[in-house]
Amino acid sequence: MKECFFIWLAVKGRCLTGDNLAKRGWPHDPLCALCSIDMEDCHHLLVKCPYTNRVWSLLRDRINVHFDIPGRLDLSLADWWQLARTRFQTHYSKAFDTFFMLVCWLVWKERNARVFDQKFNTADLLSADIKEEVAVWRAAGIFQFCE
């Protein structure tokens, strides 16, 4: 359920990224922890960040379904999600929703590992970790946990 709550926060732009930490007066690095190029906010982190887009590109290639990468379109996270899921047959849309949430959640966890633990994974390693996590969720029978 934490993944579902995180997606709700991200879609609303309320996750504790640099912009929201600044509003609270909390210490933070204003640059994106994943790319160190642009200012960090939810939209940048999950839609525009080159690192996140590399992860999506690697995953898209692995599942062999063509959909636009988030940063290539000028859409919000929610709008991109809705557009991307149209590339899947109806009976796979819930699986894509779960996959989308998992990817966003693990990108967020990678961001936090960099900020709090100074641990850095490449996009290739993160995409491999996501693939492994999908297999674990599938084996546990919880791949489609949000309805």
Side-chain angles (χ1 to χ4, degrees), residues 7 9 11 20 23 30 46 58 72-73 90 105 108 124 127:
I7 291 301
L9 288 174
V11 166
N20 287 324
K23 291 174 190 173
L46 298 172
L58 291 165
R72 294 196 181 139
L73 303 172
T90 305
W105 176 247
W108 176 250
D124 294 284
S127 66

Side-chain angles (χ1 to χ4, degrees), residues 5-146:
F5 182 68
F6 171 74
I7 291 301
W8 178 82
L9 288 174
V11 166
K12 298 287 188 181
R14 294 184 180 164
C15 48
L16 289 178
T17 49
D19 63 326
N20 287 324
L21 294 172
K23 291 174 190 173
R24 296 170 184 223
W26 293 356
H28 68 284
D29 183 346
L31 290 178
C32 174
L34 300 178
C35 71
S36 300
I37 297 171
D38 289 321
M39 303 300 271
E40 185 183 73
D41 61 26
C42 291
H43 183 74
H44 171 79
L45 186 72
L46 298 172
V47 176
K48 292 292 190 183
C49 179
Y51 178 92
T52 303
N53 280 281
R54 174 77 177 136
V55 169
W56 274 112
S57 180
L58 291 165
L59 293 169
R60 179 185 65 181
D61 293 346
R62 284 187 178 164
I63 63 174
N64 199 28
V65 175
H66 180 74
F67 54 88
D68 286 314
I69 301 302
R72 294 196 181 139
L73 303 172
D74 190 23
L75 297 173
S76 70
L77 181 62
D79 289 341
W80 174 79
W81 176 12
Q82 292 301 313
L83 179 65
R85 75 190 307 261
T86 65
R87 302 297 296 171
F88 295 83
Q89 295 176 358
T90 305
H91 59 280
Y92 289 118
S93 61
K94 284 190 179 197
F96 179 75
D97 291 346
T98 303
F99 181 66
F100 163 79
M101 287 183 247
L102 176 63
V103 172
C104 291
W105 176 247
L106 292 178
V107 165
W108 176 250
K109 287 183 71 173
E110 173 64 23
R111 180 253 183 218
N112 288 340
R114 290 174 181 221
V115 170
F116 300 113
D117 301 327
Q118 291 69 51
K119 293 182 180 178
F120 300 81
N121 276 327
T122 64
D124 294 284
L125 284 174
L126 181 59
S127 66
D129 289 348
I130 291 168
K131 184 179 176 185
E132 287 177 26
E133 192 70 16
V134 165
V136 169
W137 284 21
R138 216 178 250 161
I142 58 169
F143 191 73
Q144 298 178 19
F145 64 92
C146 294

